[in-house]
Amino acid sequence: MSLYTIAQASEEVELTPYTLRYYEKEGLLPNVIKDSAGRRKYRDDDLQRIGFIKCLKGTGMSLKQIKEYGDLYEQGKAKFKERNAMLEEHREKILQEIKTQKKYLKMVEAKIQMKI
Amino acid sequence: MSLYTIAQASEEVELTPYTLRYYEKEGLLPNVIKDSAGRRKYRDDDLQRIGFIKCLKGTGMSLKQIKEYGDLYEQGKAKFKERNAMLEEHREKILQEIKTQKKYLKMVEAKIQMKI
DNA sequence: TCTTGACTTAGAGTTAACTTTAACTGTTAG
DNA sequence: CTAACAGTTAAAGTTAACTCTAAGTCAAGA
């Protein structure tokens, strides 16, 4: 049961403390606890959650949608179906995006080969 | 030698007229001609250029960098090396990004499978 | 001739996602 | 005890990339 200060968590997840506080303010991290002096303490669970947020954000999901997903997640198995539907839809989006990236890669490579 | 109005070009490249004018203002489209009434006329060359801008932008290059690339392009073969160096660096970035996307895809798929 | 509609410009407004500031508080080392 | 330090908050500021508004121009059809 390790607890991280915001500086340590920041280091761990490669996001600034500003960003971590911002995510919390936006409701993406509803379960971060605070010590007696009011300072945030991040648990492994929190870091995992941040990791998944980075995954969703890195694949083009907006913070607004990530919050929606997180809100469903907070409601447990009652919202399992909705939540998974979101992920499945997002999965398609990622697959499509990878295809597009590959197409663009070819375009860039063609341009490199052009030699003009 | 077909010429397109901004509305037609907009349709063709799937960007709004606002965006096309904005790109031009930012110096990304230096060669768009105008008719006697001052209205933009897009040539096939312009549409091709816009297509490549979309490729670069879609793979995460900022408009600022795209302009840098375009400026080198305008200087012809004198700047060929620099220009191609940019593209080769960008190519690496795309390859890396595709890898990351694939990793994230796996994370999402794992979460879907979790059934909790 | 009049009006409609598609264009023009400069400049203001918007949005997402941070990022910084200012003022403050609690903990710790000397 | 006090100075330095790492955190806190609310709110303001920043940036990129659009997106829209207002006021005007021009050409074509009734």
Side-chain angles (χ1 to χ4, degrees):
Chain A
M1 50 133 261
S2 28
L3 293 175
Y4 303 80
T5 64
I6 198 166
Q8 291 163 339
S10 159
E11 175 87 358
E12 201 70 29
V13 302
E14 295 176 298
L15 291 175
T16 68
Y18 296 139
T19 305
L20 290 177
R21 290 193 203 98
Y22 170 68
Y23 281 3
E24 194 174 330
K25 187 164 63 181
E26 293 301 300
L28 273 64
L29 301 170
N31 302 317
V32 177
I33 55 173
K34 297 191 180 173
D35 68 11
S36 57
R39 285 173 303 208
R40 290 171 179 79
K41 290 296 166 188
Y42 294 84
R43 289 156 309 168
D44 289 321
D45 268 11
D46 297 319
L47 299 193
Q48 295 246 333
R49 185 167 182 142
I50 295 164
F52 198 58
I53 288 170
K54 284 186 76 178
C55 161
L56 294 177
K57 193 172 161 298
T59 46
M61 193 183 281
S62 68
L63 294 187
K64 190 179 165 183
Q65 272 198 105
I66 295 172
K67 174 166 164 39
E68 276 176 46
Y69 172 78
D71 289 349
L72 292 176
Y73 188 81
E74 288 307 303
Q75 296 176 62
K77 69 174 200 298
K79 299 288 177 153
F80 166 74
K81 260 191 172 176
E82 267 183 78
R83 186 155 37 98
N84 244 30
M86 273 193 82
L87 288 188
E88 269 159 20
E89 194 176 318
H90 191 60
R91 176 177 176 275
E92 293 308 311
K93 210 180 124 187
I94 300 171
L95 284 168
Q96 186 49 59
E97 185 57 22
I98 291 173
K99 265 194 194 170
T100 305
Q101 294 300 309
K102 284 179 175 171
K103 188 189 78 183
Y104 284 156
L105 175 63
K106 286 208 182 308
M107 284 173 68
V108 169
E109 285 174 340
K111 202 72 157 186
I112 290 171
Q113 290 314 312
M114 267 187 197
K115 304 277 179 193
I116 23 167
Chain B
M1 50 134 262
S2 28
L3 294 175
Y4 303 80
T5 65
I6 198 164
Q8 291 163 341
S10 158
E11 176 87 358
E12 201 71 29
V13 301
E14 296 176 297
L15 291 175
T16 68
Y18 295 139
T19 304
L20 291 177
R21 289 192 203 97
Y22 170 69
Y23 281 4
E24 195 175 330
K25 189 162 59 178
E26 293 301 299
L28 272 64
L29 300 169
N31 303 317
V32 177
I33 54 174
K34 298 191 179 175
D35 68 12
S36 58
R39 285 173 304 209
R40 291 172 178 76
K41 290 295 166 187
Y42 294 84
R43 288 155 311 168
D44 289 320
D45 267 10
D46 298 319
L47 299 193
Q48 295 246 334
R49 184 166 183 144
I50 296 165
F52 198 56
I53 288 170
K54 284 186 77 178
C55 162
L56 295 177
K57 194 174 159 296
T59 46
M61 194 183 280
S62 69
L63 294 188
K64 190 178 165 183
Q65 272 197 105
I66 295 171
K67 173 165 165 40
E68 276 175 46
Y69 172 79
D71 288 349
L72 292 176
Y73 188 80
E74 289 307 303
Q75 297 177 60
K77 70 174 197 300
K79 299 287 176 152
F80 165 74
K81 260 192 171 174
E82 266 183 78
R83 184 156 39 97
N84 243 30
M86 273 193 82
L87 287 188
E88 270 160 19
E89 194 177 318
H90 191 60
R91 177 178 176 275
E92 294 308 311
K93 209 180 124 187
I94 300 172
L95 284 168
Q96 185 49 59
E97 185 57 20
I98 291 174
K99 266 194 194 172
T100 305
Q101 295 299 309
K102 284 179 175 172
K103 188 188 79 183
Y104 284 156
L105 175 63
K106 286 210 183 306
M107 284 174 68
V108 169
E109 285 174 340
K111 203 73 159 186
I112 290 171
Q113 289 314 311
M114 268 189 197
K115 304 278 179 194
I116 21 167

